[in-house]
PDB file of all heavy atoms in Angstrom:
ATOM      1  N   PHE N 196     -36.553 -32.884 -16.689  1.00  0.00           N
ATOM      2  CA  PHE N 196     -35.786 -33.486 -15.490  1.00  0.00           C
ATOM      3  C   PHE N 196     -35.909 -34.921 -15.471  1.00  0.00           C
ATOM      4  O   PHE N 196     -37.094 -35.486 -15.830  1.00  0.00           O
ATOM      5  CB  PHE N 196     -36.273 -32.878 -14.231  1.00  0.00           C
ATOM      6  CG  PHE N 196     -35.818 -31.462 -13.988  1.00  0.00           C
ATOM      7  CD1 PHE N 196     -36.319 -30.431 -14.658  1.00  0.00           C
ATOM      8  CD2 PHE N 196     -34.592 -31.231 -13.332  1.00  0.00           C
ATOM      9  CE1 PHE N 196     -35.851 -29.064 -14.512  1.00  0.00           C
ATOM     10  CE2 PHE N 196     -34.161 -29.984 -13.164  1.00  0.00           C
ATOM     11  CZ  PHE N 196     -34.758 -28.876 -13.752  1.00  0.00           C
ATOM     12  N   ALA N 247     -35.294 -22.892 -10.693  1.00  0.00           N
ATOM     13  CA  ALA N 247     -35.602 -23.227  -9.341  1.00  0.00           C
ATOM     14  C   ALA N 247     -35.164 -24.623  -8.868  1.00  0.00           C
ATOM     15  O   ALA N 247     -34.514 -24.867  -7.968  1.00  0.00           O
ATOM     16  CB  ALA N 247     -37.076 -22.989  -8.881  1.00  0.00           C
ATOM     17  N   LEU N 248     -35.524 -25.576  -9.788  1.00  0.00           N
ATOM     18  CA  LEU N 248     -35.101 -26.981  -9.373  1.00  0.00           C
ATOM     19  C   LEU N 248     -33.603 -27.212  -9.626  1.00  0.00           C
ATOM     20  O   LEU N 248     -33.039 -27.813  -8.761  1.00  0.00           O
ATOM     21  CB  LEU N 248     -35.853 -27.919 -10.360  1.00  0.00           C
ATOM     22  CG  LEU N 248     -37.332 -28.044 -10.268  1.00  0.00           C
ATOM     23  CD1 LEU N 248     -38.084 -28.966 -11.340  1.00  0.00           C
ATOM     24  CD2 LEU N 248     -37.661 -28.621  -8.898  1.00  0.00           C
ATOM     25  N   ARG N 249     -33.058 -26.543 -10.561  1.00  0.00           N
ATOM     26  CA  ARG N 249     -31.582 -26.707 -10.744  1.00  0.00           C
ATOM     27  C   ARG N 249     -30.854 -26.173  -9.482  1.00  0.00           C
ATOM     28  O   ARG N 249     -29.884 -26.743  -8.960  1.00  0.00           O
ATOM     29  CB  ARG N 249     -31.139 -25.798 -11.914  1.00  0.00           C
ATOM     30  CG  ARG N 249     -30.416 -26.541 -13.072  1.00  0.00           C
ATOM     31  CD  ARG N 249     -29.977 -25.711 -14.138  1.00  0.00           C
ATOM     32  NE  ARG N 249     -29.762 -24.243 -13.819  1.00  0.00           N
ATOM     33  CZ  ARG N 249     -30.348 -23.290 -14.414  1.00  0.00           C
ATOM     34  NH1 ARG N 249     -31.185 -23.427 -15.343  1.00  0.00           N
ATOM     35  NH2 ARG N 249     -30.040 -22.016 -14.058  1.00  0.00           N
ATOM     36  N   GLY N 250     -31.428 -24.983  -8.973  1.00  0.00           N
ATOM     37  CA  GLY N 250     -30.833 -24.392  -7.801  1.00  0.00           C
ATOM     38  C   GLY N 250     -30.868 -25.380  -6.569  1.00  0.00           C
ATOM     39  O   GLY N 250     -29.961 -25.510  -5.813  1.00  0.00           O
ATOM     40  N   ARG N 251     -32.154 -25.866  -6.424  1.00  0.00           N
ATOM     41  CA  ARG N 251     -32.254 -26.737  -5.227  1.00  0.00           C
ATOM     42  C   ARG N 251     -31.414 -28.001  -5.372  1.00  0.00           C
ATOM     43  O   ARG N 251     -30.866 -28.551  -4.431  1.00  0.00           O
ATOM     44  CB  ARG N 251     -33.752 -27.170  -5.140  1.00  0.00           C
ATOM     45  CG  ARG N 251     -34.540 -26.027  -4.505  1.00  0.00           C
ATOM     46  CD  ARG N 251     -35.856 -26.401  -3.820  1.00  0.00           C
ATOM     47  NE  ARG N 251     -35.708 -27.574  -3.026  1.00  0.00           N
ATOM     48  CZ  ARG N 251     -36.694 -28.301  -2.754  1.00  0.00           C
ATOM     49  NH1 ARG N 251     -37.927 -28.268  -3.368  1.00  0.00           N
ATOM     50  NH2 ARG N 251     -36.555 -29.311  -1.763  1.00  0.00           N
ATOM     51  N   LEU N 252     -31.226 -28.693  -6.600  1.00  0.00           N
ATOM     52  CA  LEU N 252     -30.430 -29.787  -6.785  1.00  0.00           C
ATOM     53  C   LEU N 252     -29.011 -29.402  -6.371  1.00  0.00           C
ATOM     54  O   LEU N 252     -28.211 -30.231  -5.805  1.00  0.00           O
ATOM     55  CB  LEU N 252     -30.603 -30.255  -8.220  1.00  0.00           C
ATOM     56  CG  LEU N 252     -31.843 -31.056  -8.565  1.00  0.00           C
ATOM     57  CD1 LEU N 252     -31.929 -31.257 -10.033  1.00  0.00           C
ATOM     58  CD2 LEU N 252     -31.855 -32.406  -7.878  1.00  0.00           C
ATOM     59  N   LYS N 253     -28.641 -28.235  -6.802  1.00  0.00           N
ATOM     60  CA  LYS N 253     -27.230 -27.825  -6.622  1.00  0.00           C
ATOM     61  C   LYS N 253     -26.917 -27.639  -5.137  1.00  0.00           C
ATOM     62  O   LYS N 253     -25.987 -28.120  -4.640  1.00  0.00           O
ATOM     63  CB  LYS N 253     -26.917 -26.599  -7.341  1.00  0.00           C
ATOM     64  CG  LYS N 253     -25.466 -26.194  -7.272  1.00  0.00           C
ATOM     65  CD  LYS N 253     -25.131 -25.017  -8.354  1.00  0.00           C
ATOM     66  CE  LYS N 253     -23.781 -24.412  -8.085  1.00  0.00           C
ATOM     67  NZ  LYS N 253     -23.654 -23.216  -8.505  1.00  0.00           N
ATOM     68  N   HIS N 254     -27.872 -26.908  -4.378  1.00  0.00           N
ATOM     69  CA  HIS N 254     -27.523 -26.592  -3.039  1.00  0.00           C
ATOM     70  C   HIS N 254     -28.025 -27.709  -2.082  1.00  0.00           C
ATOM     71  O   HIS N 254     -27.271 -27.770  -0.933  1.00  0.00           O
ATOM     72  CB  HIS N 254     -28.203 -25.261  -2.803  1.00  0.00           C
ATOM     73  CG  HIS N 254     -27.554 -24.116  -3.486  1.00  0.00           C
ATOM     74  ND1 HIS N 254     -28.272 -23.447  -4.527  1.00  0.00           N
ATOM     75  CD2 HIS N 254     -26.261 -23.682  -3.417  1.00  0.00           C
ATOM     76  CE1 HIS N 254     -27.402 -22.557  -5.017  1.00  0.00           C
ATOM     77  NE2 HIS N 254     -26.198 -22.726  -4.402  1.00  0.00           N
ATOM     78  N   GLU N 255     -29.002 -28.443  -2.374  1.00  0.00           N
ATOM     79  CA  GLU N 255     -29.515 -29.379  -1.312  1.00  0.00           C
ATOM     80  C   GLU N 255     -29.357 -30.817  -1.831  1.00  0.00           C
ATOM     81  O   GLU N 255     -29.567 -31.764  -1.110  1.00  0.00           O
ATOM     82  CB  GLU N 255     -30.953 -29.201  -1.019  1.00  0.00           C
ATOM     83  CG  GLU N 255     -31.243 -27.671  -0.474  1.00  0.00           C
ATOM     84  CD  GLU N 255     -32.780 -27.350  -0.576  1.00  0.00           C
ATOM     85  OE1 GLU N 255     -33.631 -28.339  -0.520  1.00  0.00           O
ATOM     86  OE2 GLU N 255     -33.019 -26.181  -0.734  1.00  0.00           O
ATOM     87  N   GLY N 256     -28.841 -31.055  -3.112  1.00  0.00           N
ATOM     88  CA  GLY N 256     -28.704 -32.291  -3.605  1.00  0.00           C
ATOM     89  C   GLY N 256     -29.900 -33.137  -4.005  1.00  0.00           C
ATOM     90  O   GLY N 256     -29.793 -34.187  -4.495  1.00  0.00           O
ATOM     91  N   HIS N 257     -31.100 -32.579  -3.652  1.00  0.00           N
ATOM     92  CA  HIS N 257     -32.203 -33.256  -4.191  1.00  0.00           C
ATOM     93  C   HIS N 257     -33.361 -32.216  -4.263  1.00  0.00           C
ATOM     94  O   HIS N 257     -33.239 -31.115  -3.783  1.00  0.00           O
ATOM     95  CB  HIS N 257     -32.699 -34.211  -3.047  1.00  0.00           C
ATOM     96  CG  HIS N 257     -33.100 -33.721  -1.656  1.00  0.00           C
ATOM     97  ND1 HIS N 257     -34.265 -33.151  -1.382  1.00  0.00           N
ATOM     98  CD2 HIS N 257     -32.206 -33.340  -0.629  1.00  0.00           C
ATOM     99  CE1 HIS N 257     -34.226 -32.681  -0.136  1.00  0.00           C
ATOM    100  NE2 HIS N 257     -32.989 -32.782   0.333  1.00  0.00           N
ATOM    101  N   ALA N 258     -34.354 -32.569  -5.054  1.00  0.00           N
ATOM    102  CA  ALA N 258     -35.468 -31.558  -5.280  1.00  0.00           C
ATOM    103  C   ALA N 258     -36.684 -32.227  -5.586  1.00  0.00           C
ATOM    104  O   ALA N 258     -36.708 -33.383  -6.358  1.00  0.00           O
ATOM    105  CB  ALA N 258     -35.097 -30.581  -6.354  1.00  0.00           C
ATOM    106  N   ASP N 259     -37.875 -31.795  -5.095  1.00  0.00           N
ATOM    107  CA  ASP N 259     -39.194 -32.381  -5.380  1.00  0.00           C
ATOM    108  C   ASP N 259     -39.937 -31.175  -6.184  1.00  0.00           C
ATOM    109  O   ASP N 259     -39.789 -30.128  -5.885  1.00  0.00           O
ATOM    110  CB  ASP N 259     -40.018 -32.658  -4.271  1.00  0.00           C
ATOM    111  CG  ASP N 259     -39.471 -33.789  -3.484  1.00  0.00           C
ATOM    112  OD1 ASP N 259     -38.860 -34.732  -4.092  1.00  0.00           O
ATOM    113  OD2 ASP N 259     -39.694 -33.938  -2.210  1.00  0.00           O
ATOM    114  N   VAL N 330     -37.270 -35.172  -8.497  1.00  0.00           N
ATOM    115  CA  VAL N 330     -36.485 -34.993  -9.766  1.00  0.00           C
ATOM    116  C   VAL N 330     -34.972 -35.246  -9.347  1.00  0.00           C
ATOM    117  O   VAL N 330     -34.535 -34.934  -8.307  1.00  0.00           O
ATOM    118  CB  VAL N 330     -36.609 -33.749 -10.419  1.00  0.00           C
ATOM    119  CG1 VAL N 330     -38.077 -33.367 -10.826  1.00  0.00           C
ATOM    120  CG2 VAL N 330     -36.062 -32.531  -9.676  1.00  0.00           C
ATOM    121  N   LEU N 331     -34.238 -36.014 -10.374  1.00  0.00           N
ATOM    122  CA  LEU N 331     -32.937 -36.435 -10.098  1.00  0.00           C
ATOM    123  C   LEU N 331     -31.970 -35.464 -10.517  1.00  0.00           C
ATOM    124  O   LEU N 331     -30.978 -35.187  -9.840  1.00  0.00           O
ATOM    125  CB  LEU N 331     -32.630 -37.828 -10.644  1.00  0.00           C
ATOM    126  CG  LEU N 331     -33.486 -38.971 -10.084  1.00  0.00           C
ATOM    127  CD1 LEU N 331     -33.304 -40.233 -11.016  1.00  0.00           C
ATOM    128  CD2 LEU N 331     -33.192 -39.267  -8.695  1.00  0.00           C
ATOM    129  N   ARG N 332     -32.111 -34.990 -11.835  1.00  0.00           N
ATOM    130  CA  ARG N 332     -31.186 -34.109 -12.389  1.00  0.00           C
ATOM    131  C   ARG N 332     -31.873 -33.560 -13.641  1.00  0.00           C
ATOM    132  O   ARG N 332     -32.795 -34.151 -14.162  1.00  0.00           O
ATOM    133  CB  ARG N 332     -29.856 -34.812 -12.856  1.00  0.00           C
ATOM    134  CG  ARG N 332     -30.074 -35.988 -13.817  1.00  0.00           C
ATOM    135  CD  ARG N 332     -28.905 -36.806 -14.051  1.00  0.00           C
ATOM    136  NE  ARG N 332     -28.791 -37.919 -13.069  1.00  0.00           N
ATOM    137  CZ  ARG N 332     -29.513 -38.918 -12.986  1.00  0.00           C
ATOM    138  NH1 ARG N 332     -30.430 -39.215 -14.015  1.00  0.00           N
ATOM    139  NH2 ARG N 332     -29.498 -39.972 -12.010  1.00  0.00           N
ATOM    140  N   PRO N 333     -31.233 -32.368 -14.192  1.00  0.00           N
ATOM    141  CA  PRO N 333     -31.881 -31.860 -15.340  1.00  0.00           C
ATOM    142  C   PRO N 333     -31.466 -32.794 -16.582  1.00  0.00           C
ATOM    143  O   PRO N 333     -30.414 -33.415 -16.441  1.00  0.00           O
ATOM    144  CB  PRO N 333     -31.219 -30.515 -15.535  1.00  0.00           C
ATOM    145  CG  PRO N 333     -30.163 -30.276 -14.440  1.00  0.00           C
ATOM    146  CD  PRO N 333     -30.211 -31.458 -13.585  1.00  0.00           C
TER     147      PRO N 333
END
Side-chain angles (χ1 to χ4, degrees):
F196 283 80
L248 290 175
R249 239 184 26 236
R251 285 198 51 206
L252 283 167
K253 184 168 173 202
H254 294 113
E255 295 165 34
H257 60 90
D259 289 335
V330 301
L331 299 174
R332 64 192 81 79

